[in-house]
Amino acid sequence: MMRRNFLFATWSGGGAVPPVLSVARALRERGHGVRVLADTSLHEEVAAAGVEPIAWTTAPQGDVTDPAKDVIKDFEARTPLGAFARLRDRIVCGPAAGYARDTLAELRARPADVLVAEHMLLGVFTAGEAAGIPVAGLVTTLYPFPTPGAPPPGPGLAPASGPLGRLRDRMLAPLVLKPWGKGLPALNAARTAHGLPPVPSVADAFHRVDLLLVLSPRALDYPGRRFPAHLRHVGPRLDDPAWAGELELPEGDAPLVLASLSSSYMNQRTQLERIAEALGTLPVRGLLTTGPAVDPATIRAPGNVLVTAAAPHNIALRHAAVTITHAGHGTAVKSLAAGVPLVCVPLGRDQTEVARHVEIAGAGITVSKNASPRTIAHAVERVLGDSSYLREARRLAAEIAAETATDRAVAELEALAGRATGRDMGVPGRDTAAPAG
């Protein structure tokens, strides 16, 4: 494969960042030229991946490790719809013109063969379309749009059974997409400013790319679900972030429970303390990682629970019997890849959906974010005591191992770079009016 130049784009989106940088690093290790447009708060992490960071100039600059500097501040929202609106208006659609302007300026200064963006950056997609170069979107969680063969993502619904269930799915699909509508004027303003025709819906814009690469295990999604032709499941990225540090385990030989609730701020201090209290009532060792957004010194914990800001989860999971997680995609999938079952405590975002898929797969259970320490302790006891959860987690681990035996994301991006550039590529994604379903 000849050397190509890739321009990546990401934003301070917490768990979405490490998978994007993992792909960028893998391409760099293959000898390609790689640089990454990113918030300045991410530049140290980008450089640690061995690639060149480039700063946004007019697009938003955020830092999810500091609540005051978080662009979205979804922890201030009172409802899931309010949290969604903040993502739509502050990252996806509202600042699309700024993202497009910055990306085009970088492409004019230093052309690239392929533009690769975290899939929420529709302004970056707009720039790639205007520049006429191949564009790939990286979906860093379960595919988040309605498709045939599965319940509409978001509410955490169980798969339909029978005609009434399928009718439910057909009726709910447009309702799930409807809240995107308020972002359409800003998105189309960005498009027309760069000589592109308006799109009929925001959902359409997510698919005006040449490839959508889903960095999630196909085995975790529903078997009968059907996807757009330009979408590829390429397996999860299992690397730990550069800031994970060294592993320190709590003393003793009791079963290890790894607990982790988001690398970004989600107002999770209460839940962290409830988990610590729950583990204090059990004959286990607890390793509780707070992430960079919460000071571990502020978390009260019993003697059998070690609280630390970070730890390399991949190494810790070799010792773990259970993971307690907010069901962020990264932590959930790393646990499953290690064959470790889960107790899920979803806090928001895509986490209810991830938790539902874990439950349907039989690899874990879910408790409310308002669950008491006693309820959390009972959930841990249940997962430890019922071997079916371990069995199903190990089944998924085997499937994930097979899926990640080769780097499919790199192979797809290199193939995309090898095609003719421009708008005449004839890739289905350029002509798809909306997501399937």
Side-chain angles (χ1 to χ4, degrees):
M1 181 71 188
M2 67 181 295
R3 185 181 191 274
R4 302 287 185 174
N5 288 309
F6 292 86
L7 176 61
F8 276 66
T10 191
W11 59 288
S12 186
V17 175
V20 173
L21 295 184
S22 172
V23 178
R25 178 173 56 248
L27 285 166
R28 179 68 184 87
E29 290 173 351
R30 292 268 293 169
H32 299 292
V34 184
R35 58 195 194 274
V36 181
L37 278 162
D39 305 42
T40 54
S41 64
L42 299 176
H43 282 199
E44 185 175 341
E45 191 172 351
V46 173
V51 294
E52 178 188 357
I54 308 293
W56 300 113
T57 54
T58 58
Q61 290 278 354
D63 183 352
V64 294
T65 68
D66 182 347
K69 297 178 181 178
D70 191 327
V71 172
I72 300 176
K73 290 186 171 66
D74 56 359
F75 49 85
E76 294 180 348
R78 296 185 177 182
T79 65
L81 187 59
F84 164 82
R86 286 168 177 259
L87 173 67
R88 179 194 64 208
D89 298 339
R90 301 183 183 189
I91 293 293
V92 182
C93 297
Y99 281 117
R101 191 179 305 116
D102 290 357
T103 305
L104 279 169
E106 178 61 23
L107 287 171
R108 291 188 187 108
R110 291 188 291 172
D113 296 300
V114 175
L115 177 63
V116 186
E118 199 279 329
H119 81 293
M120 284 294 150
L121 296 182
L122 290 187
V124 176
F125 288 178
T126 298
E129 189 176 347
I133 68 169
V135 181
L138 299 181
V139 181
T140 60
T141 184
L142 295 162
Y143 181 66
F145 295 102
T147 66
L157 299 171
S161 59
L164 285 179
R166 290 189 289 274
L167 176 63
R168 175 205 71 181
D169 291 349
R170 289 195 298 272
M171 293 180 66
L172 284 178
L175 296 179
V176 168
L177 293 174
K178 186 176 180 180
W180 283 111
K182 290 186 177 180
L184 189 60
L187 176 61
N188 276 334
R191 291 180 59 81
T192 56
H194 295 289
L196 298 173
V199 290
S201 69
V202 175
D204 175 85
F206 282 104
H207 287 260
R208 296 189 69 84
V209 295
D210 301 289
L211 280 176
L212 272 180
L213 302 182
V214 180
L215 307 180
S216 181
R218 180 65 183 89
L220 189 58
D221 217 320
Y222 300 125
R225 192 176 184 194
R226 302 191 299 277
F227 297 96
H230 61 294
L231 182 148
R232 308 282 188 274
H233 279 87
V234 292
R237 314 301 293 193
L238 302 173
D239 319 47
D240 283 318
W243 45 263
E246 301 295 324
L247 178 64
E248 180 184 358
L249 291 174
E251 295 180 357
D253 299 318
L256 178 69
V257 178
L258 173 65
S260 177
L261 300 187
S262 189
S263 58
S264 60
Y265 186 74
M266 297 190 72
N267 199 23
Q268 67 266 52
R269 188 172 285 106
T270 297
Q271 285 80 10
L272 288 168
E273 291 197 337
R274 287 176 181 164
I275 290 169
E277 183 178 341
L279 295 179
T281 68
L282 298 174
V284 299
R285 295 175 295 154
L287 174 61
L288 191 154
T289 63
T290 63
V294 176
D295 182 354
T298 65
I299 304 300
R300 294 171 300 189
N304 66 328
V305 177
L306 174 63
V307 182
T308 183
H313 283 179
N314 277 328
I315 302 175
L317 285 164
R318 299 172 191 168
H319 306 271
V322 179
T323 298
I324 304 175
T325 173
H326 60 307
H329 184 266
T331 303
V333 169
K334 285 180 185 177
S335 298
L336 294 174
V340 178
L342 303 163
V343 172
C344 299
V345 190
L347 303 178
R349 302 172 186 168
D350 63 339
Q351 295 153 22
T352 298
E353 192 68 25
V354 172
R356 169 62 76 177
H357 283 251
V358 169
E359 280 197 313
I360 294 296
I365 58 178
T366 300
V367 299
S368 165
K369 68 178 181 179
N370 299 315
S372 68
R374 183 178 180 182
T375 298
I376 296 168
H378 284 168
V380 173
E381 288 180 315
R382 179 178 164 192
V383 172
L384 282 173
D386 185 340
S387 62
S388 69
Y389 296 108
L390 177 60
R391 183 182 67 246
E392 295 308 309
R394 286 178 173 174
R395 173 184 62 81
L396 287 170
E399 297 195 36
I400 292 170
E403 196 173 12
T404 55
T406 60
D407 197 327
R408 300 181 185 182
V410 165
E412 290 284 354
L413 291 171
E414 287 182 336
L416 181 59
R419 301 178 196 171
T421 59
R423 299 287 294 170
D424 297 326
M425 295 175 62
V427 176
R430 292 293 195 187
D431 303 317
T432 302

